[in-house]
Every structure is written in C-alpha cells, then in structure tokens.
Amino acid sequence: VATFNLHGQIGDTINKDGELIRGISGADFINSFQYISEQPEINAINISINSTGGSVLDGYSIFSAIHNCLKPTATIIDGLAASTAGWVALAGKKRIISDFASWMTHDVTDEADAGDKIKQIFKDSIVTIISGNSKKTKEQVTEMMNKEIWVSNSTKADFTLEQAVEMGLFDEIKNTGRIVKLSNVKNLSKFALIYNKLNQNQ
C-alpha cells in the first residue's frame, strides 16, 4: 500500500508581501500518483489529508488523479480538509475521517480575481463534484457553500461526523480516542499546524 500526504496548501500563493509561497503542485502530484499507481507491487493507495485548501486548478488535477485511479484508493482526513482540500477528499473510492478531524466547504474565493463568470464556473463544477460524491442535491450543496459549512465533532460545527456519514460525504469515522479543543483558533493555517503536530506525536 502506497501513501501520499496532502499536508499543506494546494497550489502556490502570493502573500501580502508579494512573496511566493510554494504549495502542493497539481501537476507534480498527478505525475507522481500515476507513476506509483502503475507499479505492479502497489495494490492500493492511501491519501492522507491535512490542508487548508488552495487553488481550484491544482485541486482539479489532484481530484482527477485519485478519482480515475483503477486501484483501490482511500482518502483519509487526518486533521483539516477545508475549501479545495474538502472536495479533493471526496475523490477516494473509500473516504475516512478521523474522529478529531474537520471538513469545510465554502464559496469560491481563491480565483475570484479571474472575474465573476469564471468564479461561477468554478463553483458550479465544485457543486457537481460534491453532489456527485454524496447524497446531497446540487441545490443543497450550493446552499452549503453559500453558508460555509463545517463538519466536526465540535459543538460549533454545522454537522457532526455521524451526520456527514449519513450525508454520504464519508464512509467511516476512524476512532483515535483523542479529543481536540480548537474553539479559539481562527486562522486556518494555525488550525492545520496544530493537527500536524498531533499527527507527528501520535
């Protein structure tokens, strides 16, 4: 079994100081993923996810690579799967979320500078991905994205993990026996860093 780690932002971004922040390249991911999936000794592939999200375009490449793989794939949320990472997590033939993890979807923002028409096209495609890989209709998914929906065992979440399984977003909840309190963390990057630290010390 091969394991890919989607731990970090998806795609490159420019910070407020104009500096390039390197993320997980969709092109690099798909090339590596296809190579590994073609190896005869590899029987299955796990994709561990802890990401604040990022570029829709890079997300398309990653989603397609996982979704189109002929071998068994499992996407496992080991922390945070927000924004683009949230719908990428739905690409696995089996979808698992840890009992301390969180999932989030919201309206398209990253490529908003491309104009309202492109932004709407991106949103419609994401609605198709989420509705096609869950029990929610396109109308329900659109409403979820408009509101910004959180799935977690936190009392602040919109849906519990059990409800998300019923909605068809996930197939199972991985029980780790850990409780994580993140009620005062407002920055998504810090959110993901806390989860990474937990996973490194498990």
Side-chain angles (χ1 to χ4, degrees), residues 97-111:
I97 186 166
S98 296
D99 54 5
F100 65 92
S102 302
W103 181 90
M104 183 268 273
T105 188
H106 66 168
D107 207 350
V108 176
T109 57
D110 288 346
E111 277 84 5

PDB file of all heavy atoms in Angstrom, residues 97-111:
ATOM      1  N   ILE A  97     -12.684   9.780   7.803  1.00  0.00           N
ATOM      2  CA  ILE A  97     -12.346  10.980   8.558  1.00  0.00           C
ATOM      3  C   ILE A  97     -12.045  10.588  10.004  1.00  0.00           C
ATOM      4  O   ILE A  97     -12.772   9.796  10.604  1.00  0.00           O
ATOM      5  CB  ILE A  97     -13.472  12.038   8.492  1.00  0.00           C
ATOM      6  CG1 ILE A  97     -13.023  13.335   9.169  1.00  0.00           C
ATOM      7  CG2 ILE A  97     -14.788  11.516   9.056  1.00  0.00           C
ATOM      8  CD1 ILE A  97     -13.909  14.528   8.869  1.00  0.00           C
ATOM      9  N   SER A  98     -10.947  11.101  10.546  1.00  0.00           N
ATOM     10  CA  SER A  98     -10.598  10.819  11.944  1.00  0.00           C
ATOM     11  C   SER A  98     -11.599  11.487  12.870  1.00  0.00           C
ATOM     12  O   SER A  98     -12.187  12.522  12.537  1.00  0.00           O
ATOM     13  CB  SER A  98      -9.184  11.332  12.252  1.00  0.00           C
ATOM     14  OG  SER A  98      -8.228  10.643  11.475  1.00  0.00           O
ATOM     15  N   ASP A  99     -11.774  10.910  14.050  1.00  0.00           N
ATOM     16  CA  ASP A  99     -12.800  11.422  14.964  1.00  0.00           C
ATOM     17  C   ASP A  99     -12.495  12.818  15.490  1.00  0.00           C
ATOM     18  O   ASP A  99     -13.380  13.504  15.999  1.00  0.00           O
ATOM     19  CB  ASP A  99     -13.018  10.451  16.136  1.00  0.00           C
ATOM     20  CG  ASP A  99     -11.732  10.104  16.883  1.00  0.00           C
ATOM     21  OD1 ASP A  99     -10.669  10.687  16.560  1.00  0.00           O
ATOM     22  OD2 ASP A  99     -11.790   9.255  17.790  1.00  0.00           O
ATOM     23  N   PHE A 100     -11.254  13.279  15.348  1.00  0.00           N
ATOM     24  CA  PHE A 100     -10.894  14.621  15.815  1.00  0.00           C
ATOM     25  C   PHE A 100     -10.780  15.616  14.662  1.00  0.00           C
ATOM     26  O   PHE A 100     -10.461  16.789  14.863  1.00  0.00           O
ATOM     27  CB  PHE A 100      -9.559  14.576  16.571  1.00  0.00           C
ATOM     28  CG  PHE A 100      -8.381  14.187  15.716  1.00  0.00           C
ATOM     29  CD1 PHE A 100      -7.617  15.154  15.091  1.00  0.00           C
ATOM     30  CD2 PHE A 100      -8.048  12.853  15.527  1.00  0.00           C
ATOM     31  CE1 PHE A 100      -6.534  14.799  14.297  1.00  0.00           C
ATOM     32  CE2 PHE A 100      -6.974  12.490  14.742  1.00  0.00           C
ATOM     33  CZ  PHE A 100      -6.212  13.475  14.121  1.00  0.00           C
ATOM     34  N   ALA A 101     -11.043  15.154  13.436  1.00  0.00           N
ATOM     35  CA  ALA A 101     -10.787  15.962  12.247  1.00  0.00           C
ATOM     36  C   ALA A 101     -11.969  16.864  11.893  1.00  0.00           C
ATOM     37  O   ALA A 101     -13.069  16.757  12.454  1.00  0.00           O
ATOM     38  CB  ALA A 101     -10.450  15.056  11.070  1.00  0.00           C
ATOM     39  N   SER A 102     -11.731  17.749  10.914  1.00  0.00           N
ATOM     40  CA  SER A 102     -12.753  18.693  10.455  1.00  0.00           C
ATOM     41  C   SER A 102     -12.755  18.789   8.934  1.00  0.00           C
ATOM     42  O   SER A 102     -11.714  18.659   8.288  1.00  0.00           O
ATOM     43  CB  SER A 102     -12.495  20.088  11.044  1.00  0.00           C
ATOM     44  OG  SER A 102     -12.469  20.055  12.450  1.00  0.00           O
ATOM     45  N   TRP A 103     -13.946  19.054   8.388  1.00  0.00           N
ATOM     46  CA  TRP A 103     -14.135  19.237   6.949  1.00  0.00           C
ATOM     47  C   TRP A 103     -14.918  20.513   6.731  1.00  0.00           C
ATOM     48  O   TRP A 103     -15.826  20.830   7.511  1.00  0.00           O
ATOM     49  CB  TRP A 103     -14.899  18.046   6.389  1.00  0.00           C
ATOM     50  CG  TRP A 103     -15.158  18.044   4.912  1.00  0.00           C
ATOM     51  CD1 TRP A 103     -14.365  17.519   3.934  1.00  0.00           C
ATOM     52  CD2 TRP A 103     -16.312  18.576   4.226  1.00  0.00           C
ATOM     53  NE1 TRP A 103     -14.948  17.687   2.694  1.00  0.00           N
ATOM     54  CE2 TRP A 103     -16.140  18.333   2.842  1.00  0.00           C
ATOM     55  CE3 TRP A 103     -17.469  19.229   4.655  1.00  0.00           C
ATOM     56  CZ2 TRP A 103     -17.081  18.714   1.887  1.00  0.00           C
ATOM     57  CZ3 TRP A 103     -18.410  19.622   3.704  1.00  0.00           C
ATOM     58  CH2 TRP A 103     -18.207  19.365   2.340  1.00  0.00           C
ATOM     59  N   MET A 104     -14.566  21.269   5.694  1.00  0.00           N
ATOM     60  CA  MET A 104     -15.254  22.538   5.460  1.00  0.00           C
ATOM     61  C   MET A 104     -15.429  22.803   3.971  1.00  0.00           C
ATOM     62  O   MET A 104     -14.554  22.487   3.168  1.00  0.00           O
ATOM     63  CB  MET A 104     -14.467  23.691   6.099  1.00  0.00           C
ATOM     64  CG  MET A 104     -15.152  25.055   5.961  1.00  0.00           C
ATOM     65  SD  MET A 104     -14.662  25.989   4.500  1.00  0.00           S
ATOM     66  CE  MET A 104     -13.205  26.850   5.123  1.00  0.00           C
ATOM     67  N   THR A 105     -16.580  23.360   3.620  1.00  0.00           N
ATOM     68  CA  THR A 105     -16.791  23.840   2.258  1.00  0.00           C
ATOM     69  C   THR A 105     -17.334  25.259   2.313  1.00  0.00           C
ATOM     70  O   THR A 105     -18.060  25.622   3.242  1.00  0.00           O
ATOM     71  CB  THR A 105     -17.753  22.930   1.468  1.00  0.00           C
ATOM     72  OG1 THR A 105     -17.770  23.348   0.099  1.00  0.00           O
ATOM     73  CG2 THR A 105     -19.169  22.959   2.028  1.00  0.00           C
ATOM     74  N   HIS A 106     -16.947  26.057   1.332  1.00  0.00           N
ATOM     75  CA  HIS A 106     -17.428  27.436   1.250  1.00  0.00           C
ATOM     76  C   HIS A 106     -17.433  27.888  -0.200  1.00  0.00           C
ATOM     77  O   HIS A 106     -17.072  27.133  -1.109  1.00  0.00           O
ATOM     78  CB  HIS A 106     -16.567  28.361   2.119  1.00  0.00           C
ATOM     79  CG  HIS A 106     -15.147  28.504   1.649  1.00  0.00           C
ATOM     80  ND1 HIS A 106     -14.287  29.457   2.124  1.00  0.00           N
ATOM     81  CD2 HIS A 106     -14.426  27.807   0.725  1.00  0.00           C
ATOM     82  CE1 HIS A 106     -13.106  29.344   1.525  1.00  0.00           C
ATOM     83  NE2 HIS A 106     -13.178  28.350   0.681  1.00  0.00           N
ATOM     84  N   ASP A 107     -17.849  29.115  -0.419  1.00  0.00           N
ATOM     85  CA  ASP A 107     -17.907  29.660  -1.768  1.00  0.00           C
ATOM     86  C   ASP A 107     -16.499  29.838  -2.328  1.00  0.00           C
ATOM     87  O   ASP A 107     -15.528  29.963  -1.570  1.00  0.00           O
ATOM     88  CB  ASP A 107     -18.638  31.006  -1.737  1.00  0.00           C
ATOM     89  CG  ASP A 107     -19.303  31.319  -3.068  1.00  0.00           C
ATOM     90  OD1 ASP A 107     -19.033  30.600  -4.049  1.00  0.00           O
ATOM     91  OD2 ASP A 107     -20.088  32.279  -3.123  1.00  0.00           O
ATOM     92  N   VAL A 108     -16.386  29.879  -3.625  1.00  0.00           N
ATOM     93  CA  VAL A 108     -15.088  30.044  -4.286  1.00  0.00           C
ATOM     94  C   VAL A 108     -14.539  31.435  -4.002  1.00  0.00           C
ATOM     95  O   VAL A 108     -15.233  32.432  -4.162  1.00  0.00           O
ATOM     96  CB  VAL A 108     -15.217  29.833  -5.807  1.00  0.00           C
ATOM     97  CG1 VAL A 108     -13.901  30.110  -6.505  1.00  0.00           C
ATOM     98  CG2 VAL A 108     -15.693  28.422  -6.106  1.00  0.00           C
ATOM     99  N   THR A 109     -13.280  31.504  -3.556  1.00  0.00           N
ATOM    100  CA  THR A 109     -12.665  32.798  -3.268  1.00  0.00           C
ATOM    101  C   THR A 109     -11.285  32.932  -3.903  1.00  0.00           C
ATOM    102  O   THR A 109     -10.914  34.010  -4.346  1.00  0.00           O
ATOM    103  CB  THR A 109     -12.504  33.016  -1.751  1.00  0.00           C
ATOM    104  OG1 THR A 109     -11.737  31.933  -1.201  1.00  0.00           O
ATOM    105  CG2 THR A 109     -13.854  33.074  -1.061  1.00  0.00           C
ATOM    106  N   ASP A 110     -10.512  31.862  -3.975  1.00  0.00           N
ATOM    107  CA  ASP A 110      -9.100  31.945  -4.367  1.00  0.00           C
ATOM    108  C   ASP A 110      -8.888  32.532  -5.754  1.00  0.00           C
ATOM    109  O   ASP A 110      -7.994  33.331  -5.970  1.00  0.00           O
ATOM    110  CB  ASP A 110      -8.439  30.562  -4.298  1.00  0.00           C
ATOM    111  CG  ASP A 110      -8.242  30.107  -2.862  1.00  0.00           C
ATOM    112  OD1 ASP A 110      -8.363  30.947  -1.965  1.00  0.00           O
ATOM    113  OD2 ASP A 110      -7.971  28.918  -2.663  1.00  0.00           O
ATOM    114  N   GLU A 111      -9.716  32.101  -6.709  1.00  0.00           N
ATOM    115  CA  GLU A 111      -9.537  32.599  -8.071  1.00  0.00           C
ATOM    116  C   GLU A 111     -10.539  33.697  -8.407  1.00  0.00           C
ATOM    117  O   GLU A 111     -10.880  33.937  -9.552  1.00  0.00           O
ATOM    118  CB  GLU A 111      -9.669  31.454  -9.082  1.00  0.00           C
ATOM    119  CG  GLU A 111      -8.416  30.642  -9.270  1.00  0.00           C
ATOM    120  CD  GLU A 111      -8.260  29.548  -8.236  1.00  0.00           C
ATOM    121  OE1 GLU A 111      -9.153  29.351  -7.428  1.00  0.00           O
ATOM    122  OE2 GLU A 111      -7.210  28.882  -8.237  1.00  0.00           O
TER     123      GLU A 111
END
